[in-house]
Amino acid sequence: MRDVLGELMAWWESGETIGVGTVVATFQSAPRPPGASMLVGPDETAVGSVSGGCVEGAVYELAQSVVGSGEPVLERYGVSDDDAFAVGLTCGGILDVWVEQVSRETFPELGEIAADIEAGRPVALATVIEHPDPARLGTRLVIRPDAPGAVVPDVDQDPGVQNLELRQGLSRLWSDRATDAVTDDALGLLASGTNATLTYGPDGERRGEGMRVFVWAFAPKPRLLVFGAIDFAAAVARVGSFLGYDVTVCDARPVFATASRFPDADRVVVDWPHRYLRAEQAAGSIDRRTVITVLTHDPKFDVPLLEEALRLPEVAYVGAMGSRRTHDDRMARLREAGLGDHELERLSSPIGLDLGARTPEETAISIAAEFIAGRWGGSGERLASTSGRIHQERPSPVGE
């Protein structure tokens, strides 16, 4: 939806009714990921794509039908062995498409969701796309990390709005069990910025079937700040990008801090690290999801930078590379600079988990493993050596 949000909001704000088809699940080699949307506007124009062209015509016609009837539809498209001319995907994949009618009346909360997305505030939208009770279809729940549950603006009662009491009401679904289950899982998806379809029993039972809920996770990417333009930094930037982070590499030396040396970074900055971090904090660009890695192991860069980093109100992770001797020297310098035990306890140094890593790529995995464990509260132990649940009862990532 993010790619077509501008056009959608223009129609929504003008009071029009739009047909929206969204990929909610894919199998095998489907061309578009979950969350990809296509709009059918009031002037019969199509905006966006759900399959790169394979089934757009069928979804267009279905969206027009849904606009007319007001009844949402979940449709599966794939390869048909029986009819070579049937609508399907030439790539051999399968996708589920949820098609619904969107207007101010049927989706009053869209304005606030769009405002959150525009402002870079994380917000998740959960929509019931399959349920034994047809009255539950299309029910929505809006989830924000600081206020789990739906946050919906007041609208006038209108008997023509389907399921108004469900879509509007009391920041919840039809039961506490369903609300809690969907909220917990949506927060986990929001933390990772992942769209997904979740399966439950009809009332949110964890081990049941019958209800499917699609979650759009509109989350700005968490930031990974890599200080020190060295070969290890290139590997950390590459792994960080793979994990979905917005990656910045910063170094005061312009000969090393170049875009060509760090093709996986979203930006490469030439500046003194501590000065750059201070400016980013002042600009409001550092938050509790931010990961800071200090790879220079040079005191003239490290100490001023770590003074800034460890005094930040809240970040997800601060790690610094170096030998045991470098670590001891660094800690002594930081104490001389006035940092206390509470601040120094936030520092992961030497950086990373003990994987026996040797190469830059292995070291990057070691570093990433440590901040992933910190994010989700993992122990870093071998799962084979532990017992009990693999994941926590409720997703509660550190720094989210």
Side-chain angles (χ1 to χ4, degrees), residues 90-103:
T90 57
C91 59
I94 300 170
L95 55 83
D96 288 347
V97 178
W98 169 252
V99 184
E100 60 186 327
Q101 179 194 92
V102 169
S103 67

Side-chain angles (χ1 to χ4, degrees), residues 59-78:
V59 174
Y60 179 88
E61 293 180 2
L62 181 56
Q64 287 184 311
S65 174
V66 167
V67 167
S69 68
E71 298 292 334
V73 175
L74 178 63
E75 189 72 37
R76 174 163 291 184
Y77 298 95

Side-chain angles (χ1 to χ4, degrees), residues 9-46:
M9 287 306 301
W11 280 322
W12 184 88
E13 289 171 348
S14 65
E16 301 287 358
T17 299
I18 312 100
V20 180
T22 300
V23 178
V24 295
T26 63
F27 310 91
Q28 301 174 30
S29 55
R32 297 300 308 280
S37 295
M38 185 179 82
L39 313 180
V40 176
D43 56 357
E44 298 187 346
T45 58

Side-chain angles (χ1 to χ4, degrees), residues 195-212:
N195 302 325
T197 292
L198 309 173
T199 301
Y200 307 91
D203 197 39
E205 299 90 340
R206 289 288 185 182
R207 296 187 179 183
E209 295 183 349
M211 178 171 74
R212 296 172 70 200

